[in-house]
């Protein structure tokens, strides 16, 4: 009888370790905030890299990341906790001081604040997951700017200009 319990406990522990490794090695940033107070319970390596390796575990978000709090994200989290409705942000600009005494950096994030309900259906925490799309957006901006410059150049030429592909399509 106890052998079966020991095996089940070991299997559960192995599953938890596997999940912890997957969480920490995920390419997207993730954290779990415990309520009340948005206390950071878990944060993966991508999250810590995004926020500049700050000490966040066990601390309320407004203390650990005051720059984020000043930008209204605590209000959004409060609403998620109060309503139980997730919040999805796309291409949201966030200013983060990623190095001590360094300048604040503008980052562009896609993320979700997903409420976590307890057994009674009350919001007991918030799962934060997202990706930093700053470089993708910078490349897209550069491409749009290049296209505008090309169009201006092509429109200003006195001769007819066109481009065709290898199949001859104009």
């Amino acid at each position: 009888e106890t052998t079966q319990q020991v095996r089940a406990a070991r299997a559960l522990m192995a599953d938890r370790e596997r999940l912890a490794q997957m969480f920490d090695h995920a390419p997207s940033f993730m954290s779990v905030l415990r309520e009340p107070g948005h206390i950071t319970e878990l944060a993966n390596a991508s999250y810590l890299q995004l926020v500049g390796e700050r000490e966040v575990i066990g601390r309320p978000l407004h203390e650990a990341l005051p720059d984020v709090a000043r930008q209204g994200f605590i209000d959004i989290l409060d609403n998620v906790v109060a309503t139980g409705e997730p919040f999805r942000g796309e291409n949201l600009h966030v200013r983060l001081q990623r190095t001590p005494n360094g300048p604040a950096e503008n980052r562009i994030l896609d993320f979700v604040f997903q409420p976590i309900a307890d057994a009674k259906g009350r919001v007991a925490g918030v799962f934060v997951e997202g990706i930093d799309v700053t470089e993708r957006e910078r490349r897209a901006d550069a491409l749009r700017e290049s296209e505008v410059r090309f169009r201006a150049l092509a429109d200003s030429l006195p001769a007819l200009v066109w481009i065709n592909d290898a199949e001859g399509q104009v």
Side-chain angles (χ1 to χ4, degrees):
E1 235 178 85
T2 59
T3 303
Q4 190 71 343
Q5 288 176 336
V6 169
R7 285 184 184 147
R10 285 182 184 157
L12 182 60
M13 184 66 87
D15 284 346
R16 284 186 178 168
E17 287 176 18
R18 206 170 21 259
L19 285 173
Q21 285 181 345
M22 288 170 39
F23 180 85
D24 197 46
H25 292 95
S28 61
F29 62 83
M30 293 189 281
S31 72
V32 176
L33 306 174
R34 182 180 68 242
E35 297 305 322
H38 315 305
I39 310 295
T40 304
E41 202 167 58
L42 297 169
N44 73 351
S46 295
Y47 182 91
L48 295 174
Q49 180 183 12
L50 176 68
V51 300
E53 303 295 333
R54 294 189 241 183
E55 295 293 326
V56 296
I57 304 298
R59 297 181 64 198
L61 195 62
H62 73 276
E63 288 178 10
L65 302 174
D67 42 352
V68 170
R70 286 189 295 271
Q71 296 172 67
F73 290 96
I74 299 297
D75 294 335
I76 296 170
L77 282 166
D78 288 343
N79 189 56
V80 168
V81 172
T83 65
E85 295 294 321
F87 173 83
R88 286 175 177 71
E90 291 186 11
N91 291 335
L92 288 182
H93 291 256
V94 179
R95 292 196 53 81
L96 291 169
Q97 186 176 3
R98 299 175 74 200
T99 58
N101 301 318
E105 294 180 34
N106 189 41
R107 307 304 295 176
I108 305 170
L109 307 177
D110 288 351
F111 65 93
V112 63
F113 291 157
Q114 180 68 43
I116 302 169
D118 64 13
K120 294 181 181 178
R122 295 178 300 217
V123 176
V126 177
F127 177 66
V128 178
E129 191 274 334
I131 57 173
D132 184 343
V133 296
T134 305
E135 295 309 315
R136 179 187 77 193
E137 289 303 309
R138 286 180 183 160
R139 286 190 303 271
D141 287 346
L143 179 59
R144 281 188 290 273
E145 190 176 304
S146 175
E147 288 173 350
V148 166
R149 284 193 317 265
F150 176 76
R151 286 185 196 278
L153 173 68
D155 289 344
S156 69
L157 291 174
L160 181 62
V161 176
W162 74 88
I163 297 175
N164 62 290
D165 63 16
E167 287 82 36
Q169 295 242 347
V170 175

